[in-house]
Amino acid sequence: MATQPKLTPKLSIDRLVVELMALAQITEVEPPAVTRVVFGEADVRARAYVKGLCAAAGLTVSEDAVGNTFARWQGSDPTLAPIGTGSHIDAIPNAGLYDGCVGVLGGLEAIRVLQQLGFKPRRSIELVIFTAEEPTRFGIGCLGSRMMAGLLTPVQALALRDKEGRGLEELRAQAGFSESLDSVQVPSGRFHQFIELHIEQGPFLEQEGIDLGLVTHIAAPASQRIVIEGEGGHAGGRLMPGRKDALAAAAELILALESAAKSTGVIDTVGTVGICEVFPSAVNSVPSRVLMTTDVRDIDGTRRDSVLAEFVAAIQEVSKRRGVKIATELINADPPTTCDPAILAALEASATAAGKSFKKMVSRAYHDSSLVSSIAPVAMLFIPCRGGVSHRPDEYASPQWIGSGVHVLARTLALLAEK
Ligand code: GLV
Ligand code: MN
Ligand code: MN
C-alpha cells in the first residue's frame, strides 16, 4: 500500500466553480446549453481560456499538430516520464458543462493546490486537454488520444470528413494547427501513469450516497456508419408491393440492433442508433436513402462482438428480403480497458486518507483514458452527477462532489509523482 504524502490539500472550490462557469459561457448556443464542436469558434476560444489559466499557474503549455494540449509542471527530475491527468473540453450539441471540463479544470486545480502547499513533485505532472473526445464533427470519438496512441494513423485521420465535407486538414489549420500529423503519435511510456477525473454519467454514486468511483474497467465501444440505398418515388404512385423503402429497412435494423443488444441477457450490453438521416426527407416521397450510425458497447469485448455479428446477419437478411443495398463502414471497435492496479491502490489510499467514501465501478461511457491505456497505465476517478444525467444542459455536479474528486486527485498525483 502506498504511503500518503504529508499534505492536506486545501481546495479553492469557489475558484474552480467560477472557472467552470466561465468556460460554460463559451458555447455555440444559448447558455446553459453548451455546444463546442472541435475546431469551431467556441472550441478555439475555450482552448485559449484554459491555456491562459494554465500559463497563469506557471505551467509550460505546448500543443501538438492535432491540438492536444499539454500543460507541464516540471518535476525535480525532468528525465522521468510525467504523471498525466486531464480530459477534454469539447462538448456535444446541447450538452452540459461538467463532462470533460471537470477533469481538465479539476486537474488544474489539483496542481494549483499542490503548488500552494509547497509540494515539489519529483516526476513532472502534466495536464492534458485532448482534442475531440466527442465524435460530433468527424464521427469518431477520442480523435486526439487515438492519434497520440497511434490507433488512428495520419492517413486515416486525413480521410475524415465532417457533415459539410470539410476535412481535418482544413479545419485544424483554421484553428491554428499546421505541423505534420506524423508528430502526434507518442511512444509507449510517454506518461508514467495517467489519471482522468470525470463525472460518472450514470446514477449509482448519487443513489448510493458514495463520494467517489474508482474505475476498474472502461467498456468497449464500437461504432459503424451504415448507408441504405433503396428506391424513392411518389408516395401515392409507388404501390406497396414493389417498394424498396430505405427507411422501412432502417426501422427493421434499428429494432434488430436493440434486440441483439438485449439478447445477451446482460445489463452491460447496450446498442444505440443515434443518427438516422433520411433522403430526400419529404412528406410525400418514399425514402430512397438512409444514413444511420450504430453504437454498441459492453465491458466484455467478445460479447460486444457477438452483438455486432448478430447485427451483420440482420443486415444481410433485411437487404436480401427488401432488395435494398446496405453498405457498412466500421468506424471503431475498441477493446475494453482494464485500469492499472497500482494507480487504483494509490486512489484508494488517497480516498481513505481524505475520509471519502468510494466504490469500485466500471465506466459505461468511453473516455480518452481508454486510448491512453495502450501507451501508459491508466485509471479513472468518478464523482457523482445529479440523476446520472449527462450530455444534457441540466447535467450537474455539486461543488462538494467536485471538491472530493479534486482533493483525492491532488493527493494521488502527489503520491504517484514521488515514485
Ligand atoms: C463519450 O462521450 C461517450 O459517448 O461515452
Ligand atoms: Mn461526453
Ligand atoms: Mn467526457
Side-chain angles (χ1 to χ4, degrees), residues 106-382:
L108 173 62
E109 183 58 29
I111 290 173
R112 290 186 303 212
V113 166
L114 293 173
Q115 289 174 333
Q116 282 165 11
L117 289 164
F119 178 77
K120 301 268 184 257
R122 179 163 163 261
R123 285 182 187 277
S124 300
I125 298 178
E126 204 163 324
L127 180 71
V128 188
I129 301 122
F130 294 102
T131 286
E133 189 262 2
E134 302 291 7
T136 315
R137 190 185 286 280
F138 293 117
I140 187 164
C142 301
L143 175 70
S145 51
R146 200 176 287 278
M147 292 191 72
M148 276 178 72
L151 297 169
L152 183 77
T153 65
V155 171
Q156 291 168 323
L158 289 171
L160 297 171
R161 292 284 175 273
D162 72 3
K163 265 176 99 170
E164 283 80 44
R166 284 174 302 174
L168 176 63
E169 197 57 13
E170 173 191 340
L171 288 158
R172 76 181 178 114
Q174 200 174 292
F177 304 106
S178 54
E179 300 290 307
S180 164
L181 288 176
D182 291 335
S183 57
V184 175
Q185 184 179 353
V186 298
S188 183
R190 163 71 176 77
F191 297 103
H192 183 63
Q193 286 155 324
F194 187 88
I195 316 177
E196 183 170 359
L197 172 67
H198 206 282
I199 56 170
E200 180 196 345
Q201 302 183 291
F204 299 113
L205 292 174
E206 186 195 30
Q207 272 172 12
E208 295 165 30
I210 295 174
D211 298 321
L212 299 166
L214 275 47
V215 176
T216 56
H217 296 87
I218 304 173
S223 53
Q224 277 173 292
R225 196 177 288 114
I226 295 171
V227 178
I228 306 170
E229 298 274 1
E231 264 175 31
H234 196 288
R238 287 209 78 130
L239 300 181
M240 300 312 283
R243 284 205 184 184
K244 294 182 179 175
D245 181 327
L247 184 57
E252 286 207 51
L253 292 184
I254 293 168
L255 293 178
L257 185 71
E258 185 184 58
S259 148
K262 282 184 175 168
S263 73
T264 65
V266 176
I267 198 77
D268 295 319
T269 322
V270 287
T272 307
V273 173
I275 294 178
C276 186
E277 290 172 2
V278 183
F279 184 83
S281 214
V283 174
N284 53 355
S285 183
V286 178
S288 61
R289 188 171 71 241
V290 165
L291 167 97
M292 59 185 236
T293 56
T294 60
D295 178 314
V296 182
R297 309 184 190 201
D298 201 310
I299 53 171
D300 180 318
T302 310
R303 200 165 52 214
R304 190 270 321 270
D305 289 344
S306 75
V307 172
L308 294 179
E310 199 174 320
F311 187 58
V312 167
I315 288 176
Q316 286 162 354
E317 193 277 321
V318 168
S319 167
K320 192 158 172 229
R321 176 162 47 79
R322 287 185 168 270
V324 294
K325 280 196 204 129
I326 306 180
T328 61
E329 182 195 346
L330 186 67
I331 300 169
N332 66 295
D334 302 329
T337 304
T338 301
C339 293
D340 178 60
I343 308 179
L344 287 168
L347 282 167
E348 194 167 334
S350 300
T352 305
K356 304 295 175 191
S357 57
F358 63 87
K359 69 180 268 185
K360 303 241 173 103
M361 64 193 304
V362 299
S363 170
R364 293 163 198 284
Y366 61 68
H367 299 282
D368 292 302
S369 289
S370 188
L371 284 298
V372 174
S373 74
S374 70
I375 50 166
V378 303
M380 292 190 70
L381 179 61
F382 275 178

